[in-house]
């Protein structure tokens, strides 16, 4: 039978919101209702008749509510195949009622963990009966309708209204698939809670929120974002955020988190093409843009301060895809919103994601995110000449940028401003030569500038090129068997160099 009329239902829910309308409609359709503890009281308080589970099983709820529905008289009525004579005969023999509809809302395990509750409270929020009801009903979707989470209530109400309680096999199968999605995600949450301490080398992640994007990296590729973007960002204006926008937004948020001073950055293809820290926001913007006004076209802009009218007027002169800030004053927002496609975002929180993972070959690579940021205290001077106070500040500044740039990368900076960078190069020397040429093209004087490298210099050629361009101080991880060649060159030519001991490859 492809269509199934609901004649009996078992309701066992933790949250009662949204349930009243369903209960009233089931009662109107003449559906026999069975329910547990708090759900039964909720239904009875509505003046609607419902049978208690314990009246069917002849067993009370025991072990502090841990065992309520786990009984053959319940699960027999769910799992019995209606086209199987032997199953039906056993239902009759043991006086087991058929159940056509299961509505479950599981204990809020994830929310309890997030609340910082004790382990005792967390363990008690591992749902046993509810998850078993979901799996049993979903398994027998040929005959059973399963509503497994509150997000399905509105569509189910429409179905009851339009079909008078008759549900097609196609709908039942879809609901079963959604039910197994709920149960699998719930189990993953429980495993990850335990594994946060046990550290079993098994990877389990689940994302139930999916947003279909216009396309993927290119128009011929399908793209989907899984996650709750609204937890991190609010979109105030503009077109739909694209796949490539999301990549740049992620890079922008990760980079800006490094800076406490008033800072503006311009991101293009996941790399900073402009960045500056200044006491005044408009100056930070102008100096960030000066780093590469060509690449800034169509880029993603981000700052860690509220955007004011004066800064917005300057920003508005540039075509860009996305702007991100913690807030905007009224006048600034009015200026920025006059272009309908411009994406305006408010950053609410920092990214709290300690792991990164990506597909590789027929599997997946997982690693801890690079959360280490070196300060002046982490720098070891390896040359005779010590960097002065301003150079140390710029070295720290440049090293933050190099950490968030694609390898191989070289960053040239001065006075808390990105002069230029060479990113994603197959050769470190080429990265440096590109950065030098770019800085000169945009009018920067590299005399007195600093240089940062994401990895060690295998030869002295890079520091020699830097010296010839007037660069006075260098920061790098160190660790090459030829480190002494770079150190010796610096000593011979009055340059200072510091090692951090930490490589920042980014591929």
């Amino acid at each position: 039978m492809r269509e199934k009329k609901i004649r009996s239902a078992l309701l066992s829910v933790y949250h009662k919101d949204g349930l009243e309308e369903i209960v009233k409609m089931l009662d109107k359709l003449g559906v026999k209702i069975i329910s547990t503890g708090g759900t039964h009281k909720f239904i009875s308080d509505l003046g609607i008749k419902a049978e208690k589970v314990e009246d069917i099983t002849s067993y009370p709820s025991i072990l502090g509510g841990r065992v309520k529905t786990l009984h053959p008289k319940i699960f027999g009525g769910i799992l019995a195949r209606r086209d199987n004579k032997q199953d039906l005969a056993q239902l009759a023999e043991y006086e087991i009622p058929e159940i056509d509809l299961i509505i479950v809302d599981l204990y809020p395990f994830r929310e309890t963990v997030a609340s910082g509750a004790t382990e005792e409270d967390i363990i008690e929020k591992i749902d046993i009966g509810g998850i078993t009801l979901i799996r049993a009903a979903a398994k027998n979707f040929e005959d059973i309708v399963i509503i497994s989470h509150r997000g399905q209530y509105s569509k189910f109400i429409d179905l009851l209204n339009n079909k008078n309680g008759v549900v097609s096999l196609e709908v039942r199968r879809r609901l079963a698939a959604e039910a197994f999605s709920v149960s699998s995600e719930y189990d993953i949450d429980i495993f990850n809670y335990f594994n946060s301490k046990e550290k079993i080398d098994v990877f389990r992640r689940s994302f139930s929120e999916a947003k279909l994007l216009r396309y993927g990296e290119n128009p011929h590729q399908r793209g989907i974002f899984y996650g709750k973007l609204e937890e991190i960002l609010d979109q105030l204006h503009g077109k739909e955020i694209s796949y490539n926008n999301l990549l740049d937004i992620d890079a922008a948020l990760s980079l800006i988190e490094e800076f406490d001073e008033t800072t503006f950055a311009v991101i293009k293809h996941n790399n900073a093409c402009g960045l500056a820290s200044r006491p005044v926001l408009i100056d930070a913007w102008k100096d960030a843009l000066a780093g590469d006004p060509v690449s800034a076209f169509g880029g993603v802009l981000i700052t860690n301060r509220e955007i004011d009218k004066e800064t917005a007027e300057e920003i508005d002169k540039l075509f860009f895809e996305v702007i991100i800030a913690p807030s905007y004053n009224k006048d600034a927002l009015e200026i920025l919103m006059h272009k309908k496609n411009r994406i305006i975002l408010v950053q609410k929180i920092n990214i709290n994601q300690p792991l990164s993972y990506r597909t590789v070959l027929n599997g997946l690579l997982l690693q801890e995110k690079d959360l280490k940021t070196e300060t002046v205290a982490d720098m070891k001077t390896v040359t005779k000449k010590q960097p002065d106070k301003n150079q140390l500040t710029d070295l720290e500044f440049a090293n933050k940028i190099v950490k968030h740039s694609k390898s191989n990368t070289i960053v040239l900076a001065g006075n808390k401003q990105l002069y230029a960078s060479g990113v994603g190069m197959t050769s470190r020397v080429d990265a440096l030569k590109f950065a030098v040429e770019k800085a000169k093209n945009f009018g920067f004087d590299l005399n007195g500038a600093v240089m940062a490298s994401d990895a060690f210099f295998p030869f002295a050629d890079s520091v020699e090129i830097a010296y010839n361009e007037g660069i006075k101080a260098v920061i790098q991880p160190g660790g090459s068997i030829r480190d002494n060649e770079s150190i010796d060159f610096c000593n011979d030519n009055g340059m200072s160099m510091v090692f951090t001991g930490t490589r920042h490859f980014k591929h």
Side-chain angles (χ1 to χ4, degrees):
M1 184 185 296
R2 298 193 68 80
E3 292 195 328
K4 176 77 178 181
K5 184 169 179 62
I6 298 170
R7 294 185 172 85
S8 59
L10 190 156
L11 282 62
S12 180
V13 300
Y14 184 85
H15 297 98
K16 311 301 187 290
D17 48 306
L19 190 63
E20 181 177 344
E21 188 175 356
I22 291 175
V23 170
K24 288 180 176 179
M25 292 187 71
L26 292 175
D27 183 59
K28 183 179 178 181
L29 291 169
V31 175
K32 176 185 176 181
I33 299 175
I34 306 164
S35 59
T36 59
T39 309
H40 183 272
K41 182 181 184 305
F42 175 84
I43 296 170
S44 298
D45 288 348
L46 294 174
I48 294 172
K49 182 180 178 182
E51 189 170 3
K52 292 182 178 180
V53 164
E54 44 265 51
D55 292 338
I56 294 173
T57 64
S58 299
Y59 273 88
S61 172
I62 62 173
L63 306 181
R66 281 189 165 197
V67 180
K68 295 189 285 284
T69 58
L70 296 170
H71 194 282
K73 280 203 169 184
I74 298 300
F75 284 89
I78 298 169
L79 288 166
R81 293 157 290 189
R82 308 306 199 257
D83 60 354
N84 185 302
K85 292 181 179 179
Q86 203 169 20
D87 283 6
L88 296 178
Q90 286 186 324
L91 291 185
E93 179 182 356
Y94 296 107
E95 298 180 339
I96 299 174
E98 293 182 12
I99 301 174
D100 305 319
L101 167 68
I102 302 293
I103 300 179
V104 173
D105 175 52
L106 296 170
Y107 289 169
F109 178 82
R110 181 186 293 178
E111 293 81 358
T112 304
V113 172
S115 74
T118 65
E119 178 151 289
E120 182 181 0
D121 289 338
I122 290 169
I123 298 304
E124 286 308 310
K125 287 299 185 290
I126 298 176
D127 204 314
I128 303 300
I131 206 80
T132 311
L133 287 170
I134 287 175
R135 291 178 63 84
K139 176 177 180 175
N140 201 23
F141 69 88
E142 292 277 354
D143 300 298
I144 305 294
V145 179
I146 172 64
I147 302 299
S148 53
H149 63 90
R150 288 174 289 162
Q152 297 172 317
Y153 285 4
S154 61
K155 287 186 178 180
F156 184 59
I157 288 169
D158 291 342
L159 189 149
L160 291 175
N161 268 323
N162 298 330
K163 298 291 185 178
N164 291 316
V166 176
V167 185
S168 69
L169 177 61
E170 288 77 14
V171 170
R172 297 197 302 274
R173 196 179 195 285
R174 171 73 184 189
L175 290 171
E178 293 180 12
F180 283 120
S181 173
V182 169
S183 67
S184 64
E185 182 172 31
Y186 197 78
D187 284 341
I188 286 170
D189 285 342
I190 295 168
F191 168 76
N192 283 332
Y193 167 73
F194 279 93
N195 206 38
S196 64
K197 295 181 181 178
E198 305 307 328
K199 305 299 182 185
I200 301 168
D201 285 333
V202 175
F203 182 77
R204 297 282 187 274
R205 286 293 183 275
S206 176
F207 297 93
S208 56
E209 295 78 16
K211 178 179 175 55
L212 184 65
L213 304 174
R214 282 177 289 162
Y215 50 81
E217 205 160 4
N218 299 292
H220 64 278
Q221 295 170 270
R222 187 169 181 258
I224 302 174
F225 173 75
Y226 291 96
K228 296 180 179 179
L229 193 61
E230 67 279 2
E231 290 182 352
I232 297 176
L233 298 162
D234 281 334
Q235 183 169 356
L236 304 182
H237 182 75
K239 64 183 179 181
E240 183 181 343
I241 298 173
S242 72
Y243 181 99
N244 291 327
N245 288 154
L246 286 169
L247 290 175
D248 281 336
I249 290 167
D250 179 74
L253 293 179
S254 296
L255 176 60
I256 204 70
E257 190 176 344
E258 302 280 2
F259 298 91
D260 296 322
E261 295 179 77
T262 299
T263 300
F264 230 117
V266 183
I267 306 297
K268 196 70 173 286
H269 296 296
N270 312 154
N271 295 294
C273 61
L275 192 149
S277 296
R278 294 288 181 266
V280 180
L281 184 64
I282 191 169
D283 294 333
W285 161 247
K286 288 179 177 179
D287 287 345
L289 180 63
D292 188 344
V294 175
S295 295
F297 184 87
V300 169
L301 317 183
I302 188 166
T303 183
N304 53 6
R305 296 292 188 271
E306 179 176 274
I307 294 183
D308 54 46
K309 179 183 178 182
E310 184 183 18
T311 307
E313 287 173 339
E314 287 298 316
I315 294 169
D316 191 51
K317 297 174 182 177
L318 175 75
F319 169 76
F320 59 90
E321 289 264 334
V322 181
I323 187 166
I324 310 162
S327 59
Y328 306 79
N329 74 25
K330 182 180 177 182
D331 292 335
L333 202 55
E334 187 175 325
I335 292 166
L336 295 173
M337 288 176 65
H338 79 91
K339 292 188 177 178
K340 67 177 183 178
N341 288 330
R342 182 179 282 167
I343 298 169
I344 303 176
L345 302 174
V346 171
Q347 181 183 358
K348 298 190 287 186
I349 60 172
N350 290 330
I351 301 172
N352 182 23
Q353 176 60 272
L355 301 176
S356 67
Y357 36 90
R358 64 201 294 185
T359 56
V360 175
L361 302 174
N362 61 344
L364 179 144
L365 276 174
L366 180 144
Q367 67 172 348
E368 296 175 343
K369 288 190 75 172
D370 184 359
L371 300 177
K372 186 171 184 180
T373 301
E374 293 76 38
T375 65
V376 171
D378 300 306
M379 299 177 194
K380 178 185 177 183
T381 303
V382 294
T383 51
K384 295 175 184 177
K385 186 176 178 62
Q386 297 275 342
D388 63 31
K389 183 178 179 181
N390 290 335
Q391 287 174 332
L392 287 171
T393 298
D394 281 337
L395 289 170
E396 183 178 335
F397 174 89
N399 199 52
K400 289 177 180 179
I401 301 172
V402 92
K403 169 185 168 183
H404 292 273
S405 303
K406 296 288 186 182
S407 299
N408 290 312
T409 181
I410 293 289
V411 165
L412 305 180
N415 190 26
K416 298 181 186 177
Q417 180 182 16
L418 172 60
Y419 290 165
S421 58
V423 299
M425 298 288 189
T426 54
S427 159
R428 196 160 303 283
V429 170
D430 285 345
L432 173 56
K433 288 179 177 178
F434 180 85
V436 167
E437 181 181 359
K438 185 177 179 183
K440 289 180 176 180
N441 286 343
F442 291 119
F444 288 105
D445 181 1
L446 293 178
N447 190 45
V450 304
M451 175 173 71
S453 175
D454 61 332
F456 64 65
F457 296 114
F459 305 99
D461 48 4
S462 291
V463 290
E464 183 176 353
I465 294 169
Y467 169 77
N468 290 333
E469 298 298 337
I471 291 165
K472 303 299 184 185
V474 179
I475 184 169
Q476 60 140 319
S480 168
I481 59 172
R482 296 175 179 267
D483 275 345
N484 284 338
E485 294 180 13
S486 296
I487 295 170
D488 289 344
F489 183 90
C490 290
N491 284 334
D492 291 342
N493 293 278
M495 295 176 72
S496 59
M497 183 160 63
V498 300
F499 285 1
T500 64
T502 302
R503 188 181 73 186
H504 288 295
F505 270 169
K506 190 167 186 279
H507 294 106

